[in-house]
Amino acid sequence: MSSLPYLIVIGGATATGKTALAIRLAQHFGTEVLSADSRQFYRGLDIGTAKASAAELSAVPHHFIDFLDITQDFNVGDYEREVLQQLDIIFQQKKVAILVGGSGLFLRAVCEGLDTFPEVSEKVKSQVAEGEKSGGLSWLQTALAQHDPQYFAAADQQNPARLRRALEVTLSSGQPYSAFLTQEKKPRPFQPIYLLLEVPRPQLYARIDARVEAMLAAGLEEEARQLLPFRDRTALKTVGYTEFFDYFAGQIDRAAAIEQIKQHSRNYAKRQATWFRKHGDWTAFQPDDWPEILKFLAEKTGK
């Protein structure tokens, strides 16, 4: 057992029950939750991001939810720095904290530090910008899949900022972006414990479809309509919003938008699951394995 405080890291694909487990563990350990869902940082993105309810948020202290306006820029480096500062505060009083989210990049930044990348030339930035302007997201996807299939397979393929950045680094350096993702872990003043929530695929897809239906009933379409003026912001270039934006623009009908939200959510969950299988020292549980999870954590922490 470590003399350091413990950071319980809860990862997993969308709709696997991460939020509920994080709150339950925070109540059990008398501690606080830090969100690693980059879309939940923003106020107004509530239904489409499956943000915890007001009652859930008030059950235990939460950090990094609803703390940014949609017009504010906030990258993974900003997040790493601010989470480490918040953990310093929490660990002055508590021996355990909870970090939860489906973005492997943000979880990894906190626990291991960010990788160091080469400078990107203005010429390459312009080259990629021109390609994206003429070909859109599909151009970025095709170009990155050609230059770095390893990273592309694990990346959020609907996130143009991630694809753009990876392609810029690849073209500037002459090496695949994935080659820069294997650097040494940075020392941290805490001991991470990695919990991965998994659900059998047919059950997970059924949960995703049910969640989308619940979002629609809660007003997802109207939320997307209110956010339409900000559609070019990176946080809104994501499943649940882009499909409705296409519907509002007359590019697809409403039924197609809803079906695409379900399909794109399933695709995203599959990519998340692939990433978690390849990265990190995760111990997998199903969401209802509460006794086994507690037993595992007791062995790890002595609590």
Side-chain angles (χ1 to χ4, degrees), residues 108-268:
R108 186 173 178 177
V110 172
C111 297
E112 302 178 10
L114 290 172
D115 295 295
T116 303
F117 296 96
E119 287 293 320
V120 175
S121 69
E122 290 302 319
K123 180 181 177 181
V124 167
K125 286 183 180 179
S126 297
Q127 176 187 344
V128 172
E130 283 299 314
E132 184 180 5
K133 184 178 179 180
S134 61
L137 178 64
S138 62
W139 182 87
L140 289 173
Q141 292 169 333
T142 301
L144 186 58
Q146 177 183 350
H147 286 92
D148 190 353
Q150 179 182 338
Y151 178 73
F152 180 74
D156 179 354
Q157 295 168 9
Q158 300 300 313
N159 188 325
R162 299 269 174 85
L163 303 183
R164 186 186 314 119
R165 171 65 174 158
L167 187 58
E168 288 174 347
V169 169
T170 297
L171 295 177
S172 268
S173 67
Q175 299 181 62
Y177 183 78
S178 53
F180 298 96
L181 300 176
T182 57
Q183 298 178 21
E184 291 295 317
K185 298 178 182 179
K186 295 180 181 176
R188 296 302 196 210
F190 54 80
Q191 177 66 48
I193 302 174
Y194 297 97
L195 301 181
L196 179 64
L197 289 188
E198 290 188 331
V199 175
R201 186 166 293 175
Q203 184 182 338
L204 177 61
Y205 287 177
R207 289 168 71 120
I208 288 172
D209 288 350
R211 172 183 275 188
V212 173
E213 290 296 334
M215 288 176 172
L216 293 167
L220 175 60
E221 181 177 350
E222 182 54 33
E223 180 174 275
R225 196 178 297 277
Q226 292 175 1
L227 292 166
L228 185 58
F230 308 102
R231 64 175 300 173
D232 291 331
R233 300 295 298 178
T234 298
L236 288 170
K237 294 182 178 181
T238 189
V239 179
Y241 297 110
T242 56
E243 297 84 1
F244 268 121
F245 295 155
D246 288 346
Y247 163 55
F248 300 151
Q251 297 173 11
I252 55 176
D253 62 28
R254 186 175 186 276
I258 292 170
E259 185 51 44
Q260 284 185 17
I261 291 171
K262 293 178 179 179
Q263 182 61 55
H264 293 162
S265 296
R266 293 192 290 268
N267 295 345
Y268 180 49

Side-chain angles (χ1 to χ4, degrees), residues 93-104:
Q93 303 291 331
K94 308 174 192 303
K95 287 290 289 181
V96 175
I98 314 291
L99 179 68
V100 58
S103 172

Side-chain angles (χ1 to χ4, degrees), residues 19-32:
T19 296
L21 178 62
I23 292 171
R24 194 172 184 184
L25 284 174
Q27 290 173 323
H28 177 80
F29 286 103
T31 192
E32 306 179 18

